[in-house]
Amino acid sequence: MPEFVSAVVPPPPAAAPPPVRLVDGLAYGGDYNPEQWPRAVWDEDVALMREAGVNLVTLGVFSWGLVETADGAFDWTWFDEAVELLHSHGIAIDLATPTAAPPSWLHTAHPEVLPYDADLYQQPPGGRLAWCPSSAVFRRYALRYVEALAERYGRHPAVRLWHVSNELGGGNARCYCDVSAAAFRDWLRARYGSLDAVNAAWGTAQWGHRFGAWDEILPPRGKHGAPNPGLYLDYERYSSDALLAHYLAEKEVLERHSDAPVTTNMMVGPGAQVVDYASWAAHTAVVANDHYTLVDDPDREQDLAFAGDRMRGMSAGRRPWLLMEHSTGAPSWQQRNRAKDPGEIARNALGHVARGSDGALFFQWRASTAGAEQFHSAMVPHSGTRSRIWREVVALGRDLRALAEVQGSVVEPARAAMVVDDPAGWALQHGLTPHRALRYGRELRTWHRALWERQVLCDVVPPGTDLAGYDLVLVPTLQVLSDVEADRLRAVPARGGTLLVTYLSGVCEPTGRVRPGLGALQDVLGAWTDEFYPLQAGERVRLDDGTEVADWTERVELDGAEAVVRYATSSLAGGPAVTRRVAAGGGAAWYVGAALPRAAVDRVAARLVEEAGLPRTAEADPGVEAVRRVGDGSSYLFLLNHTDADRKATASGTDLLTGAEVGPVTTVPAGGVRVVRERP
């Protein structure tokens, strides 16, 4: 049997770690890679960092092969000098383990650590995260380096945070090699206990694929087959756990040598993520995110808000999280990369802070002149300190220093929540439905936007979250749902709250098996799905409110609910598309059986907000985003103007960015931001 490392992970700690305070005030800085530059540039770097107000940098992310230059041969000279230089200038360090970038000598000596794709093509060296998460060989080399790093710097006063690897899963989310297959079978033994239980969970009698021995189970290889949904979902879960197990292995080494908190940078956004980040969050001292806007996204500001709301929803007690990376301008990995408009750097950074981040870090400090990311924007761009970007970087540093008192505060409690689950997203997004082009992020973003535009704060939370404090709970396309989670959702209308469930939610058990009756929530909804009617490309169905639906419709039957919106055309004409049932507890349960366009979602959302009695964060003109942080008897209202014209908002207090007293109405300049410490 191939040698592998176990992907079975321990349960998260029973108690959340204490809140993290990395620096005085809000963290500001980014990835610093001095190894890319002559020594003379380093002194200029720290001087410019002081000018910009940088107080925290991530160091060493890709430095493995530059320190361990050959197998077991460590040269810390340059690294020691960089650490001391930063420390002497009062700049704290987020010290990274560089295991995202194995050295060339390791790949040459042990090419077997390279991951394989589903067609068993082995990834060549030269990329990031070019290693199999279950490789025992790679784990030994990685932990040897981490041990040496932690022994050397674990007690250094400049080290305020440990940063395990980098964007785990970003290049090795799934490996299908024989080592991974053996590790997967080990993971299945721990999860199910017996082959009979696996066969029952996956329904292997279909197509006669019953497994009679553990070695018969293989990963869902090949891109053109029809994998068993249960096998597919469990391989996704295993792959997430394999990467989490690697993170925990490095974390254990670091914590033996250091008291500094440990985290890793996630890549959280809408849709199905590369790993199940909600299951990772409790294992981090502070949840951290990398966020980059996409060129083809017409609602970039709302994407940023969604990511912040999801990070906050995963953080224990909704405590502050950390924006580990974003960009000053164009990244380098999209087909056509987009520069940011004047003022957008600050608006993006402060948008993350508004939604709970205790800082704003960038990739990277100084723009590289060579390598795969040589045209990625940076705090110090290729055009240097004469540039607009540099002026805005310095100005943002002043803004963050002016907001120092916001550090440690939390976003005010939300009364709306959206339940989001990565396994449910994997099931939907990878074609395990009658419509293989559906994407999980569509419904999430559409419903979130409807609240965002109304200034209604919405926590984006994983299943298992206590929903007792929420008056409105949204459940978009949550295909995979357990009985325990279904009971938690049933309790919302029973206690007087409002529950909204959209199509395909609860139709499968966590194993991927279809539930008889096509839903776990039919009783509380008072409606049931008789038949799916996925629409063909270009096909449209009109509703009786005048809107047109694409992609998805259903034949829905009423069983205690009323029809709010009906189909007006197609064979479904006259049948309900949106239903509502009043619960015995005074709440209401809504069901949406069609992929509603934005206008129709907005109309339903307006009724939901009114029904649940949800207040606006602030009265503001369209285009102004309002979010409030609270703590220690103070409240801070963030007002972000996403338009090119001045806008008004209701706010009274001191604008921390200018020192001016404002109110009862303040003008938020075009593309600008106000942060008002509100009067009691």
Side-chain angles (χ1 to χ4, degrees):
M1 177 181 293
E3 184 185 10
F4 62 86
V5 287
S6 177
V8 178
V9 298
V20 171
R21 185 182 180 92
L22 299 174
V23 293
D24 292 333
L26 298 171
Y28 186 47
D31 284 52
Y32 182 42
N33 300 293
E35 64 271 25
Q36 297 181 11
W37 300 95
R39 177 61 184 82
V41 176
W42 299 10
D43 292 319
E44 179 186 348
D45 282 334
V46 292
L48 292 176
M49 288 179 190
R50 294 291 298 272
E51 180 182 343
V54 166
N55 55 18
L56 180 69
V57 297
T58 300
L59 185 68
V61 174
F62 303 125
S63 62
W64 187 348
L66 298 167
V67 170
E68 189 179 3
T69 54
D71 190 347
F74 292 86
D75 180 1
W76 298 99
T77 305
W78 73 268
F79 208 96
D80 286 344
E81 190 170 359
V83 168
E84 293 307 322
L85 180 65
L86 291 166
H87 181 50
S88 67
H89 285 80
I91 299 166
I93 297 173
D94 165 32
L95 190 53
T97 65
T99 51
S104 297
W105 59 258
L106 177 56
H107 281 150
T108 300
H110 294 284
E112 69 273 19
V113 307
L114 290 161
Y116 285 75
D117 70 12
D119 288 329
L120 294 183
Y121 170 78
Q122 189 178 34
Q123 178 180 327
R128 300 189 307 171
L129 293 157
W131 45 271
C132 166
S134 293
S135 168
V137 174
F138 177 78
R139 182 72 59 86
R140 282 195 295 270
Y141 279 96
L143 295 189
R144 184 178 72 179
Y145 187 97
V146 173
E147 187 94 40
L149 182 72
E151 284 180 344
R152 194 170 192 90
Y153 302 110
R155 303 295 174 185
H156 196 287
V159 177
R160 306 290 180 84
L161 182 67
W162 288 100
H163 180 311
V164 171
S165 197
N166 184 69
E167 296 183 339
L168 284 162
N172 61 348
R174 314 289 180 264
C175 178
Y176 297 86
C177 69
D178 289 340
V179 171
S180 297
F184 177 48
R185 292 189 283 267
D186 178 70
W187 182 90
L188 290 171
R189 289 188 189 94
R191 183 176 179 86
Y192 291 102
S194 70
L195 268 178
D196 286 343
V198 172
N199 283 310
W202 295 354
T204 55
Q206 205 267 348
W207 283 0
H209 286 169
R210 180 185 177 277
F211 297 107
W214 288 104
D215 286 350
E216 295 173 7
I217 299 177
L218 294 172
R221 292 169 173 163
K223 297 175 183 176
H224 306 293
N228 179 295
L231 166 62
Y232 169 80
L233 274 178
D234 274 340
Y235 203 76
E236 296 287 282
R237 292 182 177 110
Y238 148 76
S239 297
S240 177
D241 280 355
L243 285 162
L244 175 57
H246 182 89
Y247 163 79
L248 291 173
E250 291 198 23
K251 179 174 181 278
E252 188 276 329
V253 172
L254 296 171
E255 290 181 336
R256 281 195 279 107
H257 298 282
S258 178
D259 295 326
V262 182
T263 191
T264 189
N265 49 335
M266 302 176 181
M267 297 176 287
V268 168
Q273 310 300 295
V274 292
V275 300
D276 183 6
Y277 285 128
S279 69
W280 290 42
H283 296 282
T284 63
V286 54
V287 289
N289 193 39
D290 294 355
H291 184 270
Y292 294 94
T293 57
L294 299 178
V295 169
D296 58 358
D297 186 346
D299 303 313
R300 290 182 291 272
E301 296 85 3
Q302 187 251 331
D303 170 68
L304 184 154
F306 183 95
D309 290 345
R310 194 167 185 187
M311 291 301 294
R312 188 177 65 255
M314 292 193 304
S315 185
R318 302 171 73 258
R319 295 183 313 186
W321 50 279
L322 182 63
L323 176 64
M324 191 73 83
E325 287 186 26
H326 73 311
S327 67
T328 60
S332 60
W333 42 267
Q334 299 181 52
Q335 188 67 28
R336 300 187 185 194
N337 294 281
R338 172 187 170 272
K340 290 189 175 181
D341 294 329
E344 192 174 352
I345 295 173
R347 197 166 64 253
N348 287 176
L350 297 180
H352 288 289
V353 173
R355 292 185 180 267
S357 177
D358 260 359
L361 308 183
F362 292 89
F363 182 84
Q364 57 182 327
W365 164 251
R366 184 182 284 272
S368 301
T369 58
E373 294 183 297
Q374 65 184 15
F375 286 111
H376 196 295
S377 60
M379 298 175 76
V380 181
H382 290 131
S383 50
T385 57
R386 296 184 299 175
S387 63
R388 173 187 65 84
I389 284 181
W390 175 250
R391 292 192 296 273
E392 292 196 15
V393 162
V394 173
L396 176 58
R398 288 196 298 268
D399 288 346
L400 291 170
R401 290 194 297 277
L403 299 179
E405 65 186 80
V406 172
Q407 190 275 335
S409 65
V410 299
V411 177
E412 66 178 345
R415 290 173 55 186
M418 177 182 290
V419 181
V420 174
D421 183 43
D422 288 311
W426 296 331
L428 182 79
Q429 192 152 314
H430 290 278
L432 305 185
T433 71
H435 189 325
R436 300 195 174 193
L438 293 178
R439 292 295 176 263
Y440 193 41
R442 177 205 180 276
E443 290 294 309
L444 305 185
R445 286 282 300 276
T446 302
W447 287 96
H448 181 274
R449 181 185 174 85
L451 299 186
W452 178 76
E453 288 186 328
R454 285 171 170 75
Q455 307 290 5
V456 174
L457 185 67
C458 178
D459 289 344
V460 179
V461 301
T465 300
D466 182 359
L467 301 174
Y470 298 107
D471 298 312
L472 172 63
V473 176
L474 306 177
V475 185
T477 52
L478 192 71
Q479 183 174 338
V480 173
L481 186 66
S482 72
D483 291 339
V484 172
E485 292 158 0
D487 286 342
R488 187 174 286 111
L489 295 173
R490 286 189 188 94
V492 174
R495 60 171 170 77
T498 298
L499 173 70
L500 177 128
V501 177
T502 80
Y503 60 96
L504 285 171
S505 293
V507 301
C508 292
E509 300 173 354
T511 60
R513 272 181 170 270
V514 175
R515 289 179 178 274
L518 297 177
L521 299 168
Q522 294 173 348
D523 54 346
V524 68
L525 295 172
W528 57 280
T529 298
D530 179 38
E531 190 175 3
F532 297 147
Y533 270 73
L535 301 181
Q536 304 308 302
E539 187 178 5
R540 299 291 185 271
V541 171
R542 188 162 51 84
L543 305 180
D544 64 5
D545 65 358
T547 59
E548 288 189 337
V549 170
D551 289 320
W552 189 266
T553 59
E554 294 177 358
R555 183 181 301 282
V556 174
E557 300 292 342
L558 301 177
D559 189 15
E562 62 173 334
V564 178
V565 181
R566 293 183 181 271
Y567 295 105
T569 62
S570 86
S571 63
L572 300 176
V578 179
T579 69
R580 178 180 180 272
R581 177 179 180 268
V582 178
W590 292 65
Y591 182 64
V592 178
L596 299 181
R598 181 181 291 180
V601 168
D602 287 344
R603 283 192 289 273
V604 173
R607 287 194 58 179
L608 296 174
V609 169
E610 181 180 6
E611 185 173 278
L614 302 182
R616 292 164 60 90
T617 299
E619 294 299 323
D621 289 340
V624 174
E625 176 182 354
V627 190
R628 181 176 285 107
R629 290 182 64 156
V630 296
D632 294 332
S634 298
S635 63
Y636 307 94
L637 181 63
F638 286 71
L639 300 167
L640 300 94
N641 184 352
H642 298 298
T643 76
D644 57 3
D646 292 352
R647 292 287 188 263
K648 302 287 187 182
T650 299
S652 295
T654 305
D655 180 2
L656 297 180
L657 300 180
T658 64
E661 294 298 311
V662 301
V665 175
T666 184
T667 297
V668 187
V673 181
R674 298 271 193 232
V675 182
V676 180
R677 186 206 296 125
E678 296 177 298
R679 297 190 187 100

